[in-house]
Amino acid sequence: MTNDPQFHLFDQLPTELRLAVWRECLSHRVVELDYAWDEGAYLVILPTPCELRKTTKINRRPPIISWVCRESRLIAFEASHCLDMDSEPHLNTRWSSDLRLKKLRINPSRDAIHLNWTPCYEPSYQYSGSALDCLAWNAASLKGRGSLMFDYLDNAFDGEAPIEDRIEALQRLKNGAVVMRIIVVHTTFEKAMKSGLFGLLGDAPIQLVDISDEVRIGALMDFAERCESEIKGSIIKKQDFHRDSVESVKTILKGKLSKHFLPKEPRHYLTYIPP
């Protein structure tokens, strides 16, 4: 009898079983279409609690298992593909911006795609086309798994696309989500991994959490608040960790939705882990 938690006979398992284990190690990730503009993401909260661009860079790193061995690396990349936004004319036509990422690696069976851009970005960054249409087009290959910021539901819209085209774009987000709030978790990779809140191996730094999943939201909030309380001197502005009730969030969202839009339910919180 031994207390050794390691399984030393893994390399002796049949190849098919080892590959199946590696596949189970892959996380469900949120792929960002663009960099978040800190002032735009927080809007009225200045100074902002964190530089969200750093999180985007961390989120673009390959899965952890791609660093383990040749076999795991094969699994990490077999189901994903790299999308070069600049080499795809139809994507450039849909939306181009200073903040849009040039390359995305997407796993169609597991990933969701998120748009940080909102109308308040327009005065500060160049763009052409419709960011929402670009989101909907990319989400179509992910079974409609796409999310946008709550501020996108304001009275102002980006680009010159008519409202009919925007309605059609929103309808394509069959499993779409509206991000109501951003919570930043200031922690280390090791602590994030051990928490079990950011994928099996801690390599899913952005989490979309259903507003009705109060247990998971509570766990993330408690973890974020605890991590922030342990940091001394490096926090620009402390966050407000109050909990919103499901009904209050639904009321806010329904009050914002135009009659032109589908009655989508509030679905998620968005949590970032900066370095």
Side-chain angles (χ1 to χ4, degrees):
M1 194 72 177
T2 177
N3 293 323
D4 188 352
Q6 299 184 46
F7 180 62
H8 297 279
L9 302 179
F10 181 76
D11 59 348
Q12 298 180 29
L13 294 175
T15 302
E16 294 80 2
L17 185 54
R18 293 200 309 271
L19 296 180
V21 171
W22 287 125
R23 289 190 183 96
E24 288 301 313
C25 292
L26 291 172
S27 297
H28 294 267
R29 310 181 80 180
V30 178
V31 178
E32 293 173 283
L33 270 174
D34 55 334
Y35 286 110
W37 176 39
D38 299 339
E39 288 78 1
Y42 288 101
L43 208 55
V44 297
I45 304 177
L46 295 174
T48 60
C50 186
E51 295 181 22
L52 300 182
R53 184 178 290 255
K54 292 182 178 179
T55 304
T56 301
K57 292 179 179 179
I58 294 174
N59 191 49
R60 299 184 69 195
R61 293 173 180 171
I64 291 295
I65 66 169
S66 66
W67 306 341
V68 179
C69 64
R70 182 182 301 175
E71 194 173 74
S72 64
R73 183 177 178 82
L74 173 66
I75 294 301
F77 294 113
E78 71 169 2
S80 63
H81 63 271
C82 185
L83 181 62
D84 189 336
M85 303 288 279
D86 287 340
S87 67
E88 299 286 345
H90 56 287
L91 294 181
N92 267 326
T93 301
R94 281 182 163 80
W95 181 52
S96 180
S97 166
D98 298 344
L99 293 176
R100 195 200 65 187
L101 298 175
K102 297 183 181 300
K103 293 184 179 181
L104 307 175
R105 178 162 289 280
I106 300 176
N107 184 334
S109 65
R110 291 174 176 263
D111 294 343
I113 197 159
H114 174 69
L115 175 68
N116 289 304
W117 181 275
T118 70
C120 71
Y121 286 35
E122 295 178 20
S124 301
Y125 294 94
Q126 295 182 351
Y127 71 96
S128 63
S130 170
L132 185 58
D133 185 51
C134 186
L135 170 67
W137 191 92
N138 281 280
S141 64
L142 305 175
K143 298 182 180 180
R145 295 190 299 271
S147 58
L148 64 153
M149 300 301 295
F150 172 69
D151 292 336
Y152 214 116
L153 303 180
D154 210 334
N155 294 327
F157 296 99
D158 71 322
E160 300 296 331
I163 188 64
E164 292 79 9
D165 291 348
R166 300 182 185 283
I167 296 172
E168 192 272 335
L170 284 172
Q171 288 174 331
R172 279 184 278 158
L173 294 177
K174 296 180 180 179
N175 294 307
V178 177
V179 175
M180 302 297 293
R181 186 176 174 189
I182 296 175
I183 296 295
V184 180
V185 183
H186 296 96
T187 189
T188 63
F189 172 77
E190 183 180 5
K191 290 181 179 179
M193 180 179 64
K194 289 182 177 180
S195 73
L197 297 171
F198 303 96
L200 180 64
L201 301 176
D203 56 355
I206 296 179
Q207 292 290 306
L208 290 173
V209 186
D210 196 294
I211 190 65
S212 63
D213 192 346
E214 297 185 49
V215 173
R216 184 163 172 75
I217 289 176
L220 282 164
M221 286 286 202
D222 291 342
F223 183 66
E225 190 169 10
R226 184 169 63 253
C227 290
E228 188 161 302
S229 67
E230 295 172 353
I231 298 177
K232 298 180 180 179
S234 59
I235 301 295
I236 299 175
K237 181 179 178 62
K238 291 188 176 182
Q239 299 175 91
D240 179 3
F241 292 103
H242 76 275
R243 274 68 158 174
D244 297 307
S245 69
V246 176
E247 290 305 317
S248 67
V249 175
K250 286 184 177 181
T251 300
I252 293 172
L253 182 57
K254 288 179 180 178
K256 199 73 169 180
L257 286 171
S258 162
K259 64 180 180 180
H260 298 293
F261 291 99
L262 293 175
K264 290 189 175 295
E265 291 293 314
R267 290 281 300 280
H268 300 83
Y269 277 66
L270 181 62
T271 302
Y272 288 84
I273 305 182

